[in-house]
Amino acid sequence: MSEDVSKHRLTVPVKDPDELLGLKAGDIVYLDGTLITARDKAHQRMFEEGREPPVDLKGAAIFHAGPVVREVDGDYELVVVGPTTSTRMAKYLEDALEAGVRVIVGKGGMGAKAPELMEGRAVYLTAPGGCAALLAERVKRIRDVHWLDLGIPEAMWVLEVSEFGPLIVTVDAHGNELSAGE
Amino acid sequence: MAEEEAEEELVESIAEATVKALKVAETRLPDDVKESLESARESESNERARMILDAILENVRIAEEKGLPMCQDTGLITVIAEVGRRFPIRLAETIQEGVKRGVQRATKEVPLRPNVVHPITRENTGDNTGRRAPVIRFVPTKGEELRLHFMPKGFGSENSSAVTRLLPTEGLDGIWDFVLETVKKAGGMPCPPIVLGVGVGGTIEEAAFLAKLALFRPLNVRNPDPALADLEDRLLEAVNELGIGPMGLGGDTTALAVNIEMAYTHTAGLPVAVNIQCWANRRATAIIYPDGFYEIVQDDYPRGEVE
């Protein structure tokens, strides 16, 4: 592979889904705005137990991640944060998209149905796995936390991010998926 | 009474050493792993793969410089405790107590993410300990001292691991296919470039333990048995030919090393286990002397010999 890799900036939440059409599988993208973490238990609570999401998911960017945090005077400070395996959340993809999620950040892929389900409305971005110290430098602050009763990794953390990446467009909104060997 | 005090001192010493070893393991990648990642970066031909390897190396640098955990999955703490002759095994409980105390403290001080939950209720204990957690395996050795080999193990990679029982007649071909199948199935899930620990023989849990033991061995040390060393080299080549690449997005670098450990088994069976480790092959060893003094190193590893 010798072609130049395109690089983009994207503001989240996404106001106009057409903005996603400029991203092609294999491109590199950096996010600015708000990222909301959600893992197994938050997904289960929203989409199996039918609980109202504690944050607005319209146009939202969901981050499959559980941070390391430090409690300082009753507030939480971010220590590091990086992606967890997205395939565990693949069974909730349709529900998440229905709820308005337009950007998903994780690692390891989003399941075989992802290109079809995300076509025309959402993208899946791979964050370099394990690069939690690097990615934490791009998080400005923890703005909020919901459902802390699920435990620190499984709670929904609302993160304010700036130039968050590098993220690799792995499923684009044109129905394409980047996979090994391309 | 004096004996109790001495034991409490030892527990405290082990706890302190545990905190320090975990801090090192979580924030500083061992040199052999760093060097292996750097050399993979040099020879990688895929541009996107090179970008990911650059991000990993940059991440490792930031984590070490700032004393931050390199990965948010600070793992399930796994320990191989090599108990030397001056540490009679009756102190197993003392060792366990010291390690647990250390893990609880490290959770606050490093800090670590509280990862340990009840397997069914999923209730988080909040301090990375619980029944049989951290995982501690005791191995008696000839040495004088106690060597606590720590591996904080992430679960993206642990979840990609597998155990099987092959037929004796499937032999080497069967082992070969099982390793490659396991890696293929794992794809990008375990955060490649991966390290593979392969356990061959023994019983089902012995094979699984050997696969984990293999991951403690530095990447630049081959199995002392030439036939197994050769198999390690050939399997590594075959795994990298799969083209899975860093994070499963393609490239030449799927694995950094394949480490194999072997035990004799029953004539009717061939247990095989593959334990996958992510690129963050985090390790540190606390060497604790009978007087309570200790040192932390990153180039020691358990041989697993019960002599």
Side-chain angles (χ1 to χ4, degrees):
Chain A
M1 196 189 71
S2 59
E3 89 274 18
D4 278 338
V5 175
S6 302
K7 292 179 184 167
H8 308 264
R9 292 286 281 266
L10 179 70
T11 301
V12 285
V14 178
K15 295 214 171 68
D16 177 3
D18 282 354
E19 282 177 54
L20 300 177
L21 298 174
L23 306 175
K24 302 266 185 319
D27 288 355
I28 303 295
V29 60
Y30 293 83
L31 299 180
D32 300 284
T34 306
L35 265 182
I36 303 154
T37 74
R39 300 165 55 105
D40 312 63
K41 288 176 98 173
H43 279 82
Q44 189 178 39
R45 189 174 271 188
M46 289 188 285
F47 305 129
E48 275 179 36
E49 295 164 18
R51 290 264 293 271
E52 192 64 30
V55 280
D56 189 4
L57 294 181
K58 200 160 181 302
I62 289 285
F63 185 16
H64 296 152
V68 179
V69 294
R70 180 187 280 126
E71 207 178 334
V72 184
D73 302 328
D75 270 338
Y76 286 99
E77 270 178 21
L78 185 79
V79 180
V80 294
V81 67
T84 191
T85 306
S86 298
T87 40
R88 300 198 312 271
M89 273 62 76
K91 60 179 176 174
Y92 303 113
L93 177 57
E94 229 170 322
D95 293 314
L97 295 172
E98 280 305 309
V101 173
R102 291 295 167 260
V103 175
I104 296 174
V105 182
K107 70 172 177 82
M110 200 53 201
K113 285 192 203 152
E116 192 191 325
L117 290 173
M118 298 180 99
E119 191 170 355
R121 52 177 176 169
V123 293
Y124 173 74
L125 312 174
T126 299
C131 292
L134 176 81
L135 292 172
E137 295 212 315
R138 311 298 173 94
V139 178
K140 287 201 275 190
R141 66 187 182 105
I142 294 174
R143 196 184 293 152
D144 212 350
V145 59
H146 302 280
W147 291 353
L148 204 49
D149 62 300
L150 296 178
I152 283 172
E154 304 286 334
M156 292 178 84
W157 298 87
V158 182
L159 310 175
E160 203 175 300
V161 302
S162 170
E163 216 181 332
F164 187 86
L167 309 173
I168 302 116
V169 180
T170 305
V171 178
D172 65 22
H174 300 276
N176 301 313
E177 177 162 22
L178 173 72
S179 54
E182 281 179 50
Chain B
M1 200 61 203
E3 198 180 323
E4 262 174 45
E5 262 172 45
E7 276 197 23
E8 169 54 29
E9 256 173 52
L10 190 57
V11 169
E12 193 45 36
S13 198
I14 291 168
E16 251 177 56
T18 296
V19 174
K20 292 205 172 142
L22 286 175
K23 172 86 183 179
V24 169
E26 298 276 6
T27 60
R28 191 189 176 281
L29 205 56
D31 289 336
D32 58 287
V33 185
K34 247 190 275 181
E35 280 156 21
S36 177
L37 281 165
E38 278 159 6
S39 100
R41 165 65 181 81
E42 286 314 303
S43 54
E44 177 63 56
S45 69
N46 179 310
E47 191 185 345
R48 224 172 276 114
R50 277 201 306 270
M51 280 191 64
I52 296 170
L53 292 170
D54 280 338
I56 289 173
L57 288 165
E58 174 72 356
N59 179 69
V60 168
R61 192 189 58 75
I62 295 169
E64 184 170 342
E65 219 174 82
K66 296 191 167 178
L68 294 171
M70 67 189 81
C71 178
Q72 78 293 335
D73 186 353
T74 50
L76 177 61
I77 307 303
T78 305
V79 190
I80 294 181
E82 286 188 307
V83 188
R85 283 183 296 203
R86 297 276 302 279
F87 271 84
I89 200 75
R90 72 171 174 81
L91 288 181
E93 205 190 325
T94 305
I95 296 167
Q96 205 158 299
E97 170 62 25
V99 170
K100 262 199 180 177
R101 203 184 281 182
V103 168
Q104 287 164 344
R105 249 181 244 168
T107 300
K108 282 196 195 129
E109 289 174 23
V110 176
L112 309 178
R113 193 175 69 181
N115 282 335
V116 169
V117 302
H118 184 285
I120 316 252
T121 68
R122 312 306 292 179
E123 197 188 330
N124 196 315
T125 61
D127 65 7
N128 279 314
T129 68
R131 178 175 154 77
R132 299 184 76 90
V135 177
I136 307 175
R137 304 270 173 244
F138 288 95
V139 180
T141 59
K142 275 183 173 171
E144 297 290 296
E145 62 285 325
L146 166 68
R147 285 168 192 262
L148 295 174
H149 304 280
F150 290 92
M151 177 175 286
K153 187 69 164 64
F155 255 50
S157 60
E158 194 71 4
N159 280 339
S160 310
S161 303
V163 184
T164 193
R165 299 95 47 223
L166 299 174
L167 298 174
T169 48
E170 286 178 281
L172 194 53
D173 286 349
I175 296 169
W176 184 274
D177 291 347
F178 179 64
V179 172
L180 291 184
E181 265 322 301
T182 304
V183 174
K184 261 193 250 176
K185 216 186 274 176
M189 197 161 81
C191 284
I194 53 175
V195 178
L196 286 166
V198 182
V200 177
T203 52
I204 202 78
E205 90 288 356
E206 175 79 341
F209 171 68
L210 290 173
K212 178 62 52 64
L213 177 72
L215 290 179
F216 281 81
R217 192 196 326 145
L219 310 190
N220 51 12
V221 179
R222 301 272 51 83
N223 190 297
D225 176 337
L228 288 177
D230 178 58
L231 183 59
E232 289 176 343
D233 287 340
R234 286 189 296 122
L235 265 172
L236 176 62
E237 209 179 305
V239 165
N240 281 328
E241 273 165 19
L242 294 174
I244 293 168
M247 296 305 136
L249 299 177
D252 314 316
T253 318
T254 301
L256 301 174
V258 178
N259 288 358
I260 304 173
E261 294 294 332
M262 174 274 272
Y264 278 64
T265 190
H266 192 284
T267 183
L270 177 49
V272 182
V274 177
N275 199 184
I276 301 188
Q277 172 68 303
C278 56
W279 65 259
N281 188 19
R282 290 161 286 179
R283 319 182 307 253
T285 299
I287 305 172
I288 301 164
Y289 299 94
D291 58 7
F293 279 83
Y294 60 83
E295 57 182 318
I296 312 295
V297 298
Q298 273 188 300
D299 55 1
D300 192 30
Y301 63 101
R303 269 55 167 191
E305 296 286 331
V306 187
E307 288 181 44

